[in-house]
Structure formats: C-alpha cells, structure tokens
Amino acid sequence: MAVERDLFEEEQEMVAMSFGDHIEELRLRLVLALLGLVVGVILALIPPLNLGYYVMQGMQEPAQQALEAYHIRQTNNRMAAAELRETYTELPARISAAALVAALREVAPSVTLPEDDPGALEGRYVELPMQVREAAAIDMVNTNVERQKALIALRPMETVIIWFTVCIITGLVIVSPWVFYQLWAFVAAGLYRHERRTVYRYLPFSVGLFLGGVFLCYFGVLPLTLQFLLQFNIWLNVEPSLQLTAWMSFATLLPLVFGIGFQLPLVMLFVGKLGIVSAKDFREKRKFALLGITIVASMLTPADIVSMLMLAAPMIALYELGVILVDRGEVAAAKAEAY
C-alpha cells in the first residue's frame, strides 16, 4: 500500500505540472546546455590549449594521407606499366660546350677539336637528345615535383568559417556529458521518481556510447570511406582535389551522426523500462528494425557503401544488445515482483 500511495502522490504532482511548466523546464535545460557549450567553445578557442587547431589538423590528416597514398599508388602503377612496355622517352640535354669537348678529347684523342682556349667555349652550350627509360622519367618527376596540398580553399573566409565550426563541434564533444545530462534531466522531469533513477543510472553509458561512436567514425570510418571513394577516381581516371569546406563538413557531421546513432540500445532500454515496448515486440519487429536501420544509415551517410555499412553494422549489433538489455530488465522486474 505504501508503494501505491507513493505512486499516487507522484501522479498528483505530475498532474500539477502544467504544459507551461514543461516549456519552462525545456527552456531552462536549453539555456544550461548552451552555457555549457559556450564554455566548451572557449576551451577550444583559447590560445594556450589550441584544441580547435589540433582537431582541425587531425581532421585534415585522413584526407591528406588518403590522397598521398592515391598518388603513390598511381605513380607505382604507371612505372610498372612503363617497365612492361620497355619504352624510352627522349629528353633534351643541355650540356656545356667546354665539358663536351673535354669529354670527347678523353674518349677520342685523334678527333680534331678546337684548341685549348679558356675563353673560346665559355658560356656556350649544346643541346643533345637523350633517351631515358619512361619508368625512370616517371620516378624522377614524382621525386622532384612537389604536389599541391590535399585540401584547397576557394573563398577568402572559408578557412576561418571552417575553423570556428570545428571549434564549436570540439566544444560540444568536450561538454557532451553536461549536454546529455540536461537532455535526460528534461526527460526525467516528466517521469516518476523510480523512473528518474533509471534515467540517471544510464546517463554515463549514454555519454560513453556517444563518444564511442564519434571516435569509431573519426579513426575508422573516415579513412576507409575516403579510400573507397578515391577508387572511383582511379576507375574513371579523374585527378582528385578536395575542397576544404566539403571535406570538413563531411568530417565533422559524420562523427556526430555516429555518436547519436549509438544511443539506440539506451533508447530501447528506456522505452522498455517504461513498459511501452517489450523484448518480445523488439524480436518480432526485428526485420523491420533492420530495414529501418539500413535506410537511416544510407540517408545519414554519403552515397557510398562503406560508410553506410560502417554505421549500419554497429547499430544492428547495438539493436541486438538493446533487445538483450530489455529482456534482462523484464526478468529482473518479474523476480522483484515475485518477492
């Protein structure tokens, strides 16, 4: 009876909380989350730390490494093809006349050459055709010609805008525990006391899953996705050149998508705890869930199969984890009621 009385009192308190009170609670949580975001952005901007600078350099590194590997692979392929053809390229060689005469005297002393006059041949050159193996010429050009940097900026303010955007994303990741706390606190305001304990218990797991998704995308998905996309350049024989805005927008948005997508098991556990959906329902609707995950992954990622699978595969595994967690929660609740 004590438990029923507590639930009745809580229900009366919740009824007393009007729609306007919920809006006020939402406003408060949004303000607190934005204040935390401001603190995170300041930490990313302040010169002693330079977090925004290092994060931006780190985001450019996968693109630069992928393009460098692309150029090296293309050069090696061209050299291998030239070796098989055994072709030679004719190049003009500019030789000092004095050096040429000296060399001829050495190899053919009987040939009549100009007399030794230091000033007669000074400043004079001859151009002779020289045959070089094509593979050696390709290697020489690849070794001595410096390539353009991987990312290019087409507008004067482009770099500044991207840098501030990266600082905002970096600040969001830094204060993500605080932002997630405010989000779950708003949700908890409309729940019973025992349901609020569930929310706060799983808050650290929510933050951990978010950061896990961000780091998986940053260190695993981005390099593999770019390497896959560059294969189309090889196939179509198109020289790649990445724009700074296009790459950084891709590199900052996709990790956030992964972090949010990794919240799936906690959302499933939450609705299971509320009694909205059971583990049996999740199992029966598994094929629809897998279809939905695939569609969402294809919509949230670029038009390539690698990034879509890299998002869909972990989310499918997390869906199965969510089913297990909901099932265990139901078993634990049944045992508690039995006692």
Side-chain angles (χ1 to χ4, degrees):
M1 294 298 294
V3 175
E4 294 180 358
R5 188 181 304 111
D6 292 339
L7 292 177
F8 178 77
E9 292 176 356
E10 290 185 37
E11 184 177 356
Q12 294 300 314
E13 292 177 1
M14 291 181 63
V15 171
M17 192 174 183
S18 64
F19 177 76
D21 294 332
H22 283 288
I23 296 298
E24 181 64 24
E25 179 72 16
L26 175 61
R27 187 188 69 83
L28 174 63
R29 296 302 173 183
L30 286 177
V31 170
L32 292 175
L34 288 175
L35 289 176
L37 178 59
V38 170
V39 174
V41 172
I42 292 175
L43 291 175
L45 286 173
I46 55 178
L49 296 178
N50 284 329
L51 294 179
Y53 170 81
Y54 291 118
V55 171
M56 187 167 178
Q57 292 295 317
M59 287 183 172
Q60 294 179 59
E61 187 175 350
Q64 293 176 347
Q65 290 179 348
L67 283 175
E68 182 67 22
Y70 166 84
H71 289 301
I72 292 175
R73 186 166 55 250
Q74 286 292 87
T75 300
N76 292 336
N77 291 339
R78 287 195 293 267
M79 289 176 59
E83 289 285 358
L84 291 176
R85 293 193 303 265
E86 295 185 354
T87 56
Y88 288 82
T89 300
E90 189 172 284
L91 299 176
R94 190 168 183 261
I95 304 173
S96 168
L100 177 61
V101 169
L104 289 175
R105 281 204 180 98
E106 184 176 343
V107 298
S110 60
V111 177
T112 303
L113 295 171
E115 297 297 330
D116 291 331
D117 184 359
L121 301 176
E122 184 178 354
R124 298 181 63 182
Y125 296 87
V126 294
E127 286 195 1
L128 300 175
M130 178 179 62
Q131 286 193 340
V132 180
R133 286 190 304 113
E134 187 178 350
I138 294 173
D139 183 50
M140 180 178 63
V141 172
N142 178 67
T143 304
N144 295 281
V145 175
E146 183 178 358
R147 296 190 186 93
Q148 190 179 18
K149 294 298 183 181
L151 302 178
I152 59 174
L154 302 179
R155 295 183 294 273
M157 293 294 295
E158 185 174 351
T159 307
V160 177
I161 294 173
I162 290 297
W163 181 67
F164 275 109
T165 303
V166 170
C167 289
I168 292 174
I169 300 299
T170 304
L172 177 61
V173 173
I174 293 173
V175 300
S176 58
W178 173 256
V179 174
F180 273 90
Y181 172 79
Q182 300 304 324
L183 173 64
W184 286 108
F186 169 71
V187 175
L191 303 176
Y192 292 116
R193 187 178 297 111
H194 67 285
E195 294 171 339
R196 295 175 188 173
R197 288 196 295 268
T198 301
V199 169
Y200 295 127
R201 185 183 304 127
Y202 292 107
L203 176 61
F205 297 99
S206 179
V207 176
L209 286 172
F210 174 77
L211 295 178
V214 170
F215 291 139
L216 172 65
C217 180
Y218 182 77
F219 292 106
V221 177
L222 289 179
L224 290 178
T225 300
L226 189 56
Q227 290 176 11
F228 174 80
L229 293 176
L230 288 177
Q231 294 301 316
F232 284 93
N233 293 77
I234 297 176
W235 179 46
L236 297 173
N237 196 25
V238 176
E239 192 72 15
S241 182
L242 293 179
Q243 185 183 355
L244 179 65
T245 300
W247 168 252
M248 295 303 293
S249 299
F250 172 75
T252 53
L253 178 61
L254 197 60
L256 293 180
V257 170
F258 270 72
I260 295 173
F262 273 39
Q263 303 297 307
L264 179 62
L266 289 185
V267 174
M268 295 171 61
L269 183 61
F270 183 69
V271 297
K273 287 285 186 181
L274 296 181
I276 300 175
V277 184
S278 65
K280 180 181 178 182
D281 297 329
F282 282 124
R283 291 193 184 95
E284 292 178 349
K285 306 299 182 183
R286 178 182 282 112
K287 57 183 179 181
F288 299 105
L290 299 183
L291 177 62
I293 289 173
T294 304
I295 294 174
V296 171
S298 64
M299 293 173 60
L300 296 179
T301 56
D304 67 280
I305 191 67
V306 173
S307 57
M308 187 198 74
L309 291 178
M310 292 290 286
L311 177 59
M315 288 189 65
I316 292 173
L318 291 172
Y319 180 85
E320 298 299 331
L321 176 62
V323 174
I324 295 173
L325 293 177
V326 173
D327 188 41
R328 289 186 176 181
E330 291 176 353
V331 172
K335 290 181 179 180
E337 290 181 1
Y339 287 110

